[in-house]
Short mmCIF file of all heavy atoms in Angstrom, two decimals:
data_model
loop_
_atom_site.label_atom_id
_atom_site.label_comp_id
_atom_site.label_asym_id
_atom_site.label_seq_id
_atom_site.Cartn_x
_atom_site.Cartn_y
_atom_site.Cartn_z
N THR A 1 -90.82 28.93 -64.70
CA THR A 1 -90.07 28.40 -65.81
C THR A 1 -88.72 29.09 -65.92
O THR A 1 -87.71 28.44 -66.16
CB THR A 1 -90.87 28.55 -67.12
OG1 THR A 1 -92.11 27.88 -66.99
CG2 THR A 1 -90.11 27.97 -68.29
N ALA A 2 -88.70 30.41 -65.74
CA ALA A 2 -87.45 31.15 -65.83
C ALA A 2 -86.48 30.73 -64.73
O ALA A 2 -85.27 30.60 -64.97
CB ALA A 2 -87.71 32.65 -65.76
N LEU A 3 -86.99 30.48 -63.53
CA LEU A 3 -86.12 30.02 -62.44
C LEU A 3 -85.49 28.68 -62.78
O LEU A 3 -84.30 28.47 -62.56
CB LEU A 3 -86.92 29.90 -61.14
CG LEU A 3 -87.21 31.22 -60.43
CD1 LEU A 3 -88.31 31.05 -59.41
CD2 LEU A 3 -85.94 31.73 -59.77
N GLU A 4 -86.27 27.77 -63.33
CA GLU A 4 -85.76 26.45 -63.70
C GLU A 4 -84.77 26.55 -64.86
O GLU A 4 -83.76 25.84 -64.88
CB GLU A 4 -86.90 25.50 -64.03
CG GLU A 4 -87.84 25.23 -62.88
CD GLU A 4 -87.16 24.67 -61.63
OE1 GLU A 4 -86.14 23.95 -61.75
OE2 GLU A 4 -87.64 24.96 -60.53
N TYR A 5 -85.04 27.43 -65.80
CA TYR A 5 -84.12 27.63 -66.93
C TYR A 5 -82.76 28.09 -66.43
O TYR A 5 -81.73 27.55 -66.82
CB TYR A 5 -84.72 28.65 -67.91
CG TYR A 5 -83.76 29.05 -69.01
CD1 TYR A 5 -83.61 28.26 -70.14
CD2 TYR A 5 -82.99 30.20 -68.90
CE1 TYR A 5 -82.70 28.61 -71.14
CE2 TYR A 5 -82.10 30.56 -69.89
CZ TYR A 5 -81.95 29.76 -71.01
OH TYR A 5 -81.06 30.11 -71.99
N CYS A 6 -82.76 29.10 -65.57
CA CYS A 6 -81.49 29.62 -65.05
C CYS A 6 -80.80 28.60 -64.16
O CYS A 6 -79.57 28.51 -64.17
CB CYS A 6 -81.72 30.93 -64.30
SG CYS A 6 -82.19 32.28 -65.38
N TYR A 7 -81.56 27.83 -63.41
CA TYR A 7 -80.99 26.77 -62.57
C TYR A 7 -80.25 25.75 -63.44
O TYR A 7 -79.11 25.39 -63.17
CB TYR A 7 -82.09 26.10 -61.76
CG TYR A 7 -81.63 24.91 -60.95
CD1 TYR A 7 -81.08 25.08 -59.69
CD2 TYR A 7 -81.76 23.62 -61.45
CE1 TYR A 7 -80.67 24.00 -58.94
CE2 TYR A 7 -81.36 22.52 -60.71
CZ TYR A 7 -80.81 22.72 -59.45
OH TYR A 7 -80.40 21.63 -58.72
N SER A 8 -80.91 25.31 -64.49
CA SER A 8 -80.29 24.29 -65.36
C SER A 8 -79.13 24.86 -66.16
O SER A 8 -78.23 24.12 -66.55
CB SER A 8 -81.33 23.67 -66.29
OG SER A 8 -81.80 24.63 -67.20
N ASP A 9 -79.12 26.17 -66.35
CA ASP A 9 -78.04 26.82 -67.10
C ASP A 9 -76.86 27.20 -66.19
O ASP A 9 -75.79 27.53 -66.68
CB ASP A 9 -78.60 28.07 -67.80
CG ASP A 9 -77.72 28.54 -68.93
OD1 ASP A 9 -77.27 27.69 -69.73
OD2 ASP A 9 -77.50 29.76 -69.02
N SER A 10 -77.07 27.12 -64.88
CA SER A 10 -76.05 27.52 -63.92
C SER A 10 -74.98 26.43 -63.79
O SER A 10 -75.29 25.26 -63.59
CB SER A 10 -76.70 27.74 -62.55
OG SER A 10 -75.75 27.79 -61.52
N PRO A 11 -73.69 26.81 -63.90
CA PRO A 11 -72.63 25.80 -63.75
C PRO A 11 -72.64 25.13 -62.38
O PRO A 11 -72.25 23.99 -62.24
CB PRO A 11 -71.34 26.58 -63.95
CG PRO A 11 -71.70 27.96 -64.31
CD PRO A 11 -73.17 28.13 -64.17
N GLU A 12 -73.12 25.85 -61.35
CA GLU A 12 -73.15 25.29 -60.00
C GLU A 12 -74.48 24.62 -59.66
O GLU A 12 -74.65 24.13 -58.56
CB GLU A 12 -72.91 26.39 -58.94
CG GLU A 12 -71.69 27.22 -59.16
CD GLU A 12 -72.03 28.53 -59.86
OE1 GLU A 12 -73.20 28.89 -60.01
OE2 GLU A 12 -71.09 29.20 -60.29
N ALA A 13 -75.45 24.64 -60.58
CA ALA A 13 -76.81 24.13 -60.32
C ALA A 13 -77.39 24.81 -59.09
O ALA A 13 -77.73 24.18 -58.10
CB ALA A 13 -76.82 22.61 -60.20
N LYS A 14 -77.48 26.13 -59.17
CA LYS A 14 -78.02 26.95 -58.08
C LYS A 14 -79.14 27.83 -58.62
O LYS A 14 -79.13 28.24 -59.78
CB LYS A 14 -76.94 27.87 -57.50
CG LYS A 14 -75.71 27.18 -57.00
CD LYS A 14 -75.92 26.61 -55.65
CE LYS A 14 -74.61 25.99 -55.13
NZ LYS A 14 -74.78 25.33 -53.88
N TYR A 15 -80.13 28.12 -57.76
CA TYR A 15 -81.20 29.04 -58.13
C TYR A 15 -80.72 30.48 -58.00
O TYR A 15 -79.73 30.75 -57.29
CB TYR A 15 -82.44 28.81 -57.25
CG TYR A 15 -83.19 27.57 -57.67
CD1 TYR A 15 -83.08 26.40 -56.94
CD2 TYR A 15 -83.98 27.57 -58.80
CE1 TYR A 15 -83.76 25.25 -57.33
CE2 TYR A 15 -84.67 26.43 -59.21
CZ TYR A 15 -84.54 25.28 -58.46
OH TYR A 15 -85.20 24.15 -58.86
N ALA A 16 -81.38 31.38 -58.66
CA ALA A 16 -81.03 32.80 -58.65
C ALA A 16 -81.03 33.36 -57.24
O ALA A 16 -81.81 32.93 -56.38
CB ALA A 16 -82.02 33.58 -59.51
N VAL A 17 -80.18 34.34 -57.00
CA VAL A 17 -80.13 35.03 -55.70
C VAL A 17 -81.34 35.95 -55.58
O VAL A 17 -81.97 36.05 -54.53
CB VAL A 17 -78.82 35.83 -55.55
CG1 VAL A 17 -78.83 36.68 -54.29
CG2 VAL A 17 -77.63 34.88 -55.56
N LYS A 18 -81.68 36.64 -56.68
CA LYS A 18 -82.85 37.53 -56.70
C LYS A 18 -83.50 37.43 -58.08
O LYS A 18 -82.88 36.98 -59.04
CB LYS A 18 -82.45 38.97 -56.37
CG LYS A 18 -81.37 39.53 -57.27
CD LYS A 18 -80.89 40.87 -56.74
CE LYS A 18 -79.92 41.51 -57.66
NZ LYS A 18 -78.57 41.09 -57.63
N LEU A 19 -84.75 37.84 -58.18
CA LEU A 19 -85.48 37.69 -59.45
C LEU A 19 -84.83 38.46 -60.59
O LEU A 19 -84.90 38.03 -61.74
CB LEU A 19 -86.94 38.12 -59.28
CG LEU A 19 -87.79 37.17 -58.43
CD1 LEU A 19 -89.20 37.74 -58.26
CD2 LEU A 19 -87.84 35.78 -59.04
N GLU A 20 -84.16 39.56 -60.29
CA GLU A 20 -83.50 40.33 -61.32
C GLU A 20 -82.38 39.53 -62.01
O GLU A 20 -82.01 39.81 -63.13
CB GLU A 20 -82.94 41.64 -60.74
CG GLU A 20 -84.00 42.63 -60.35
CD GLU A 20 -84.65 42.34 -59.00
OE1 GLU A 20 -84.21 41.43 -58.26
OE2 GLU A 20 -85.63 43.03 -58.67
N ASP A 21 -81.87 38.52 -61.32
CA ASP A 21 -80.83 37.67 -61.90
C ASP A 21 -81.36 36.87 -63.10
O ASP A 21 -80.58 36.40 -63.93
CB ASP A 21 -80.26 36.71 -60.86
CG ASP A 21 -79.49 37.42 -59.78
OD1 ASP A 21 -79.10 38.60 -59.99
OD2 ASP A 21 -79.27 36.82 -58.72
N LEU A 22 -82.66 36.72 -63.20
CA LEU A 22 -83.26 35.99 -64.32
C LEU A 22 -83.08 36.76 -65.63
O LEU A 22 -83.09 36.18 -66.71
CB LEU A 22 -84.75 35.73 -64.07
CG LEU A 22 -85.05 34.92 -62.80
CD1 LEU A 22 -86.55 34.80 -62.62
CD2 LEU A 22 -84.38 33.57 -62.83
N ILE A 23 -82.88 38.06 -65.52
CA ILE A 23 -82.59 38.89 -66.69
C ILE A 23 -81.16 38.59 -67.16
O ILE A 23 -80.93 38.41 -68.36
CB ILE A 23 -82.75 40.39 -66.36
CG1 ILE A 23 -84.20 40.68 -65.95
CG2 ILE A 23 -82.32 41.26 -67.53
CD1 ILE A 23 -84.40 42.04 -65.30
N THR A 24 -80.24 38.50 -66.23
CA THR A 24 -78.83 38.25 -66.54
C THR A 24 -78.62 36.93 -67.26
O THR A 24 -77.79 36.82 -68.16
CB THR A 24 -77.99 38.27 -65.25
OG1 THR A 24 -78.23 39.50 -64.57
CG2 THR A 24 -76.52 38.13 -65.54
N CYS A 25 -79.40 35.91 -66.90
CA CYS A 25 -79.23 34.61 -67.55
C CYS A 25 -80.09 34.49 -68.80
O CYS A 25 -80.21 33.41 -69.37
CB CYS A 25 -79.47 33.47 -66.57
SG CYS A 25 -81.18 33.08 -66.26
N ASN A 26 -80.67 35.61 -69.23
CA ASN A 26 -81.46 35.69 -70.47
C ASN A 26 -82.73 34.84 -70.47
O ASN A 26 -83.18 34.41 -71.52
CB ASN A 26 -80.59 35.35 -71.68
CG ASN A 26 -79.50 36.36 -71.88
OD1 ASN A 26 -79.74 37.56 -71.81
ND2 ASN A 26 -78.30 35.89 -72.10
N ALA A 27 -83.30 34.64 -69.29
CA ALA A 27 -84.56 33.90 -69.21
C ALA A 27 -85.76 34.82 -69.39
O ALA A 27 -86.80 34.40 -69.88
CB ALA A 27 -84.66 33.18 -67.87
N ILE A 28 -85.62 36.08 -68.96
CA ILE A 28 -86.69 37.08 -69.08
C ILE A 28 -86.07 38.43 -69.40
O ILE A 28 -84.86 38.62 -69.25
CB ILE A 28 -87.53 37.17 -67.78
CG1 ILE A 28 -86.65 37.53 -66.59
CG2 ILE A 28 -88.30 35.88 -67.53
CD1 ILE A 28 -87.40 37.76 -65.30
N LYS A 29 -86.90 39.37 -69.83
CA LYS A 29 -86.41 40.71 -70.16
C LYS A 29 -86.64 41.71 -69.03
O LYS A 29 -85.93 42.69 -68.91
CB LYS A 29 -87.07 41.21 -71.44
CG LYS A 29 -86.67 40.40 -72.67
CD LYS A 29 -87.25 41.02 -73.91
CE LYS A 29 -87.01 40.19 -75.13
NZ LYS A 29 -85.66 40.16 -75.61
N VAL A 30 -87.68 41.46 -68.20
CA VAL A 30 -88.04 42.36 -67.11
C VAL A 30 -88.37 41.50 -65.89
O VAL A 30 -89.03 40.47 -66.01
CB VAL A 30 -89.29 43.20 -67.49
CG1 VAL A 30 -89.71 44.09 -66.35
CG2 VAL A 30 -89.01 44.03 -68.74
N ALA A 31 -87.91 41.94 -64.72
CA ALA A 31 -88.22 41.20 -63.49
C ALA A 31 -89.73 41.19 -63.25
O ALA A 31 -90.38 42.22 -63.44
CB ALA A 31 -87.49 41.81 -62.32
N PRO A 32 -90.28 40.07 -62.85
CA PRO A 32 -91.73 39.99 -62.63
C PRO A 32 -92.18 40.84 -61.46
O PRO A 32 -91.48 40.97 -60.46
CB PRO A 32 -91.97 38.51 -62.37
CG PRO A 32 -90.67 37.98 -61.90
CD PRO A 32 -89.61 38.81 -62.55
N ALA A 33 -93.35 41.43 -61.61
CA ALA A 33 -93.96 42.24 -60.55
C ALA A 33 -95.47 42.12 -60.65
O ALA A 33 -96.01 41.75 -61.69
CB ALA A 33 -93.54 43.70 -60.71
N ASP A 34 -96.14 42.43 -59.55
CA ASP A 34 -97.59 42.40 -59.51
C ASP A 34 -98.13 43.41 -60.51
O ASP A 34 -97.77 44.58 -60.47
CB ASP A 34 -98.06 42.75 -58.10
CG ASP A 34 -99.55 42.67 -57.93
OD1 ASP A 34 -100.26 43.46 -58.60
OD2 ASP A 34 -100.01 41.83 -57.14
N PRO A 35 -99.01 43.00 -61.42
CA PRO A 35 -99.51 43.93 -62.44
C PRO A 35 -100.40 45.03 -61.88
O PRO A 35 -100.52 46.09 -62.48
CB PRO A 35 -100.27 43.04 -63.41
CG PRO A 35 -100.59 41.81 -62.64
CD PRO A 35 -99.52 41.65 -61.62
N ASP A 36 -101.02 44.80 -60.72
CA ASP A 36 -101.89 45.82 -60.12
C ASP A 36 -101.11 46.86 -59.33
O ASP A 36 -101.41 48.05 -59.38
CB ASP A 36 -102.94 45.18 -59.21
CG ASP A 36 -103.97 44.37 -59.98
OD1 ASP A 36 -104.23 44.69 -61.16
OD2 ASP A 36 -104.53 43.42 -59.40
N THR A 37 -100.11 46.42 -58.57
CA THR A 37 -99.38 47.33 -57.68
C THR A 37 -97.97 47.64 -58.15
O THR A 37 -97.34 48.53 -57.62
CB THR A 37 -99.28 46.70 -56.28
OG1 THR A 37 -98.47 45.52 -56.37
CG2 THR A 37 -100.64 46.38 -55.69
N ASN A 38 -97.48 46.88 -59.11
CA ASN A 38 -96.11 46.99 -59.61
C ASN A 38 -95.07 46.65 -58.53
O ASN A 38 -93.89 46.95 -58.67
CB ASN A 38 -95.82 48.36 -60.21
CG ASN A 38 -94.74 48.28 -61.26
OD1 ASN A 38 -94.57 47.25 -61.92
ND2 ASN A 38 -93.96 49.34 -61.41
N GLU A 39 -95.51 46.03 -57.44
CA GLU A 39 -94.60 45.58 -56.39
C GLU A 39 -93.95 44.27 -56.81
O GLU A 39 -94.58 43.42 -57.46
CB GLU A 39 -95.38 45.35 -55.08
CG GLU A 39 -95.95 46.60 -54.48
CD GLU A 39 -94.90 47.49 -53.85
OE1 GLU A 39 -93.95 46.96 -53.25
OE2 GLU A 39 -95.03 48.72 -53.97
N ALA A 40 -92.70 44.09 -56.41
CA ALA A 40 -91.99 42.84 -56.71
C ALA A 40 -92.64 41.69 -55.94
O ALA A 40 -93.14 41.88 -54.83
CB ALA A 40 -90.54 42.97 -56.30
N TYR A 41 -92.64 40.51 -56.54
CA TYR A 41 -93.11 39.32 -55.85
C TYR A 41 -92.09 38.93 -54.79
O TYR A 41 -90.90 39.21 -54.92
CB TYR A 41 -93.31 38.16 -56.83
CG TYR A 41 -94.42 38.38 -57.81
CD1 TYR A 41 -94.17 38.43 -59.17
CD2 TYR A 41 -95.73 38.54 -57.38
CE1 TYR A 41 -95.19 38.63 -60.08
CE2 TYR A 41 -96.76 38.74 -58.28
CZ TYR A 41 -96.48 38.78 -59.63
OH TYR A 41 -97.49 38.97 -60.52
N PHE A 42 -92.56 38.25 -53.74
CA PHE A 42 -91.64 37.74 -52.72
C PHE A 42 -90.89 36.56 -53.31
O PHE A 42 -91.48 35.61 -53.81
CB PHE A 42 -92.42 37.29 -51.47
CG PHE A 42 -91.53 36.60 -50.47
CD1 PHE A 42 -90.83 37.34 -49.55
CD2 PHE A 42 -91.39 35.22 -50.48
CE1 PHE A 42 -90.00 36.71 -48.63
CE2 PHE A 42 -90.56 34.59 -49.57
CZ PHE A 42 -89.87 35.33 -48.65
N TYR A 43 -89.58 36.60 -53.24
CA TYR A 43 -88.73 35.51 -53.71
C TYR A 43 -87.59 35.34 -52.74
O TYR A 43 -86.95 36.33 -52.35
CB TYR A 43 -88.17 35.79 -55.11
CG TYR A 43 -87.12 34.79 -55.53
CD1 TYR A 43 -87.47 33.50 -55.90
CD2 TYR A 43 -85.77 35.12 -55.50
CE1 TYR A 43 -86.50 32.57 -56.27
CE2 TYR A 43 -84.79 34.20 -55.86
CZ TYR A 43 -85.16 32.93 -56.23
OH TYR A 43 -84.20 32.00 -56.58
N GLN A 44 -87.33 34.09 -52.35
CA GLN A 44 -86.20 33.83 -51.49
C GLN A 44 -85.65 32.44 -51.77
O GLN A 44 -86.37 31.45 -51.64
CB GLN A 44 -86.60 33.93 -50.02
CG GLN A 44 -85.46 33.73 -49.08
CD GLN A 44 -85.87 33.98 -47.64
OE1 GLN A 44 -87.00 34.36 -47.35
NE2 GLN A 44 -84.96 33.78 -46.72
N PRO A 45 -84.38 32.35 -52.17
CA PRO A 45 -83.76 31.03 -52.30
C PRO A 45 -83.39 30.52 -50.90
O PRO A 45 -83.23 31.32 -49.98
CB PRO A 45 -82.50 31.31 -53.13
CG PRO A 45 -82.15 32.72 -52.81
CD PRO A 45 -83.46 33.43 -52.55
N ASN A 46 -83.26 29.20 -50.75
CA ASN A 46 -82.78 28.70 -49.46
C ASN A 46 -81.29 28.98 -49.33
O ASN A 46 -80.66 29.49 -50.27
CB ASN A 46 -83.13 27.22 -49.26
CG ASN A 46 -82.43 26.29 -50.23
OD1 ASN A 46 -81.41 26.62 -50.83
ND2 ASN A 46 -82.98 25.10 -50.39
N ALA A 47 -80.71 28.68 -48.19
CA ALA A 47 -79.32 29.05 -47.90
C ALA A 47 -78.33 28.49 -48.92
O ALA A 47 -77.35 29.15 -49.26
CB ALA A 47 -78.94 28.60 -46.49
N LEU A 48 -78.58 27.29 -49.42
CA LEU A 48 -77.67 26.67 -50.38
C LEU A 48 -78.04 26.97 -51.83
O LEU A 48 -77.35 26.55 -52.75
CB LEU A 48 -77.63 25.15 -50.17
CG LEU A 48 -77.13 24.70 -48.81
CD1 LEU A 48 -77.25 23.17 -48.69
CD2 LEU A 48 -75.69 25.14 -48.59
N ARG A 49 -79.16 27.69 -52.02
CA ARG A 49 -79.71 28.02 -53.34
C ARG A 49 -80.06 26.75 -54.14
O ARG A 49 -80.00 26.72 -55.35
CB ARG A 49 -78.75 28.93 -54.12
CG ARG A 49 -78.66 30.31 -53.51
CD ARG A 49 -77.76 31.27 -54.22
NE ARG A 49 -77.77 31.17 -55.65
CZ ARG A 49 -76.67 31.32 -56.40
NH1 ARG A 49 -75.51 31.55 -55.85
NH2 ARG A 49 -76.76 31.23 -57.70
N THR A 50 -80.47 25.71 -53.43
CA THR A 50 -80.92 24.48 -54.07
C THR A 50 -82.44 24.41 -54.09
O THR A 50 -83.01 23.44 -54.60
CB THR A 50 -80.36 23.25 -53.33
OG1 THR A 50 -80.74 23.33 -51.95
CG2 THR A 50 -78.84 23.20 -53.45
N GLY A 51 -83.09 25.40 -53.54
CA GLY A 51 -84.54 25.49 -53.51
C GLY A 51 -84.93 26.95 -53.35
O GLY A 51 -84.07 27.81 -53.14
N TYR A 52 -86.22 27.23 -53.46
CA TYR A 52 -86.68 28.62 -53.36
C TYR A 52 -88.14 28.67 -52.97
O TYR A 52 -88.86 27.67 -53.03
CB TYR A 52 -86.49 29.36 -54.69
CG TYR A 52 -87.35 28.80 -55.80
CD1 TYR A 52 -88.66 29.24 -56.00
CD2 TYR A 52 -86.87 27.79 -56.64
CE1 TYR A 52 -89.45 28.70 -57.00
CE2 TYR A 52 -87.64 27.26 -57.65
CZ TYR A 52 -88.94 27.71 -57.82
OH TYR A 52 -89.72 27.18 -58.80
N THR A 53 -88.59 29.86 -52.59
CA THR A 53 -90.00 30.16 -52.35
C THR A 53 -90.31 31.43 -53.12
O THR A 53 -89.58 32.42 -53.03
CB THR A 53 -90.28 30.38 -50.85
OG1 THR A 53 -89.91 29.20 -50.14
CG2 THR A 53 -91.74 30.69 -50.61
N LEU A 54 -91.39 31.38 -53.89
CA LEU A 54 -91.88 32.52 -54.66
C LEU A 54 -93.35 32.67 -54.34
O LEU A 54 -94.11 31.71 -54.46
CB LEU A 54 -91.68 32.28 -56.16
CG LEU A 54 -92.22 33.32 -57.12
CD1 LEU A 54 -91.47 34.64 -56.96
CD2 LEU A 54 -92.09 32.83 -58.55
N LYS A 55 -93.76 33.85 -53.86
CA LYS A 55 -95.14 34.06 -53.45
C LYS A 55 -95.77 35.21 -54.22
O LYS A 55 -95.12 36.20 -54.52
CB LYS A 55 -95.23 34.40 -51.95
CG LYS A 55 -94.81 33.28 -51.05
CD LYS A 55 -94.94 33.68 -49.60
CE LYS A 55 -94.41 32.60 -48.69
NZ LYS A 55 -94.52 33.00 -47.28
N ALA A 56 -97.07 35.05 -54.50
CA ALA A 56 -97.84 36.10 -55.17
C ALA A 56 -99.22 36.16 -54.53
O ALA A 56 -99.89 35.14 -54.37
CB ALA A 56 -97.97 35.81 -56.65
N ALA A 57 -99.64 37.36 -54.15
CA ALA A 57 -100.98 37.59 -53.61
C ALA A 57 -101.83 38.19 -54.72
O ALA A 57 -101.48 39.24 -55.26
CB ALA A 57 -100.91 38.52 -52.41
N LEU A 58 -102.92 37.53 -55.06
CA LEU A 58 -103.78 38.00 -56.14
C LEU A 58 -104.83 38.97 -55.63
O LEU A 58 -105.15 39.00 -54.44
CB LEU A 58 -104.46 36.80 -56.81
CG LEU A 58 -103.54 35.72 -57.36
CD1 LEU A 58 -104.36 34.65 -58.06
CD2 LEU A 58 -102.51 36.30 -58.30
N SER A 59 -105.39 39.76 -56.51
CA SER A 59 -106.43 40.72 -56.14
C SER A 59 -107.69 40.01 -55.64
O SER A 59 -108.52 40.62 -54.99
CB SER A 59 -106.76 41.64 -57.32
OG SER A 59 -107.20 40.89 -58.42
N THR A 60 -107.82 38.74 -55.92
CA THR A 60 -108.95 37.95 -55.44
C THR A 60 -108.83 37.61 -53.97
O THR A 60 -109.76 37.08 -53.37
CB THR A 60 -109.06 36.63 -56.23
OG1 THR A 60 -107.86 35.88 -56.01
CG2 THR A 60 -109.27 36.86 -57.70
N GLY A 61 -107.66 37.90 -53.39
CA GLY A 61 -107.41 37.58 -52.00
C GLY A 61 -106.68 36.26 -51.82
O GLY A 61 -106.26 35.94 -50.72
N LYS A 62 -106.52 35.52 -52.88
CA LYS A 62 -105.80 34.25 -52.80
C LYS A 62 -104.30 34.50 -52.91
O LYS A 62 -103.86 35.39 -53.63
CB LYS A 62 -106.24 33.30 -53.91
CG LYS A 62 -107.67 32.85 -53.77
CD LYS A 62 -108.03 31.88 -54.87
CE LYS A 62 -109.48 31.44 -54.71
NZ LYS A 62 -109.85 30.44 -55.71
N THR A 63 -103.53 33.71 -52.20
CA THR A 63 -102.08 33.77 -52.27
C THR A 63 -101.57 32.44 -52.78
O THR A 63 -102.03 31.39 -52.35
CB THR A 63 -101.47 34.06 -50.88
OG1 THR A 63 -101.96 35.31 -50.43
CG2 THR A 63 -99.96 34.11 -50.93
N TYR A 64 -100.64 32.49 -53.69
CA TYR A 64 -100.03 31.29 -54.25
C TYR A 64 -98.56 31.27 -53.90
O TYR A 64 -97.91 32.31 -53.85
CB TYR A 64 -100.22 31.23 -55.77
CG TYR A 64 -101.64 30.94 -56.14
CD1 TYR A 64 -102.57 31.96 -56.27
CD2 TYR A 64 -102.07 29.63 -56.33
CE1 TYR A 64 -103.88 31.68 -56.60
CE2 TYR A 64 -103.38 29.35 -56.65
CZ TYR A 64 -104.29 30.38 -56.79
OH TYR A 64 -105.60 30.11 -57.09
N GLU A 65 -98.06 30.07 -53.65
CA GLU A 65 -96.66 29.89 -53.33
C GLU A 65 -96.08 28.84 -54.26
O GLU A 65 -96.65 27.75 -54.41
CB GLU A 65 -96.51 29.44 -51.88
CG GLU A 65 -95.08 29.26 -51.44
CD GLU A 65 -94.97 28.92 -49.97
OE1 GLU A 65 -95.26 29.81 -49.14
OE2 GLU A 65 -94.60 27.78 -49.66
N ALA A 66 -94.97 29.18 -54.88
CA ALA A 66 -94.27 28.24 -55.74
C ALA A 66 -92.94 27.90 -55.10
O ALA A 66 -92.29 28.75 -54.50
CB ALA A 66 -94.04 28.85 -57.12
N THR A 67 -92.56 26.64 -55.23
CA THR A 67 -91.24 26.18 -54.80
C THR A 67 -90.67 25.35 -55.93
O THR A 67 -91.34 25.13 -56.95
CB THR A 67 -91.31 25.33 -53.51
OG1 THR A 67 -91.93 24.08 -53.82
CG2 THR A 67 -92.04 26.04 -52.40
N GLU A 68 -89.48 24.86 -55.74
CA GLU A 68 -88.88 23.99 -56.74
C GLU A 68 -89.69 22.70 -56.94
O GLU A 68 -89.51 22.01 -57.92
CB GLU A 68 -87.42 23.67 -56.38
CG GLU A 68 -87.23 22.82 -55.16
CD GLU A 68 -87.39 23.55 -53.83
OE1 GLU A 68 -87.63 24.77 -53.80
OE2 GLU A 68 -87.25 22.89 -52.79
N ASN A 69 -90.61 22.42 -56.02
CA ASN A 69 -91.43 21.21 -56.09
C ASN A 69 -92.81 21.42 -56.70
O ASN A 69 -93.56 20.47 -56.86
CB ASN A 69 -91.57 20.59 -54.72
CG ASN A 69 -90.23 20.17 -54.16
OD1 ASN A 69 -89.44 19.54 -54.86
ND2 ASN A 69 -89.95 20.53 -52.93
N GLY A 70 -93.17 22.68 -56.99
CA GLY A 70 -94.48 22.94 -57.58
C GLY A 70 -95.12 24.20 -57.02
O GLY A 70 -94.49 25.00 -56.34
N ILE A 71 -96.42 24.35 -57.31
CA ILE A 71 -97.15 25.56 -56.93
C ILE A 71 -98.46 25.17 -56.27
O ILE A 71 -99.06 24.15 -56.60
CB ILE A 71 -97.41 26.45 -58.17
CG1 ILE A 71 -98.00 27.79 -57.76
CG2 ILE A 71 -98.28 25.76 -59.17
CD1 ILE A 71 -98.01 28.82 -58.87
N GLY A 72 -98.89 25.99 -55.31
CA GLY A 72 -100.15 25.71 -54.64
C GLY A 72 -100.71 26.95 -53.98
O GLY A 72 -100.03 27.95 -53.79
N GLU A 73 -101.99 26.88 -53.67
CA GLU A 73 -102.67 27.99 -53.00
C GLU A 73 -102.37 27.91 -51.51
O GLU A 73 -102.35 26.84 -50.93
CB GLU A 73 -104.17 27.90 -53.24
CG GLU A 73 -104.93 29.08 -52.70
CD GLU A 73 -106.43 28.98 -52.98
OE1 GLU A 73 -106.83 28.26 -53.90
OE2 GLU A 73 -107.18 29.63 -52.25
N LYS A 74 -102.13 29.06 -50.90
CA LYS A 74 -101.86 29.13 -49.45
C LYS A 74 -102.96 29.86 -48.74
O LYS A 74 -103.61 30.70 -49.23
CB LYS A 74 -100.52 29.83 -49.19
CG LYS A 74 -99.34 29.04 -49.65
CD LYS A 74 -99.19 27.85 -48.77
CE LYS A 74 -98.06 26.96 -49.19
NZ LYS A 74 -97.85 25.84 -48.40
#
């Protein structure tokens, strides 16, 4: 939701360069991280910043991937 908020608020209609940028656009107060390891989630915008990949590995062993098109288990 924060990525989409910042995208729609961006004058260029671009996704954030890094998750910490979501703080700058006032979408969140702290960059998201894994609650068990405190490691940052994998996030990468595409070259034009018109799309992105966000991945999270859960303690259950499942990995989820979110893109501008939705979220799914990998």
Side-chain angles (χ1 to χ4, degrees):
T1 302
L3 283 163
E4 298 303 329
Y5 173 82
C6 290
Y7 175 85
S8 66
D9 199 44
S10 165
E12 307 97 10
K14 304 279 184 185
Y15 284 103
V17 173
K18 55 188 185 279
L19 290 177
E20 291 79 7
D21 293 342
L22 301 177
I23 298 167
T24 306
C25 79
N26 295 314
I28 58 175
K29 294 185 186 288
V30 178
D34 183 296
D36 291 333
T37 65
N38 207 29
E39 294 287 323
Y41 293 118
F42 173 86
Y43 171 74
Q44 183 174 357
N46 65 20
L48 299 175
R49 292 181 38 218
T50 56
Y52 65 87
T53 301
L54 176 66
K55 294 181 184 179
L58 304 183
S59 59
T60 62
K62 294 182 180 184
T63 299
Y64 288 87
E65 181 176 291
T67 69
E68 67 283 358
N69 298 314
I71 188 168
E73 186 179 338
K74 291 290 177 179

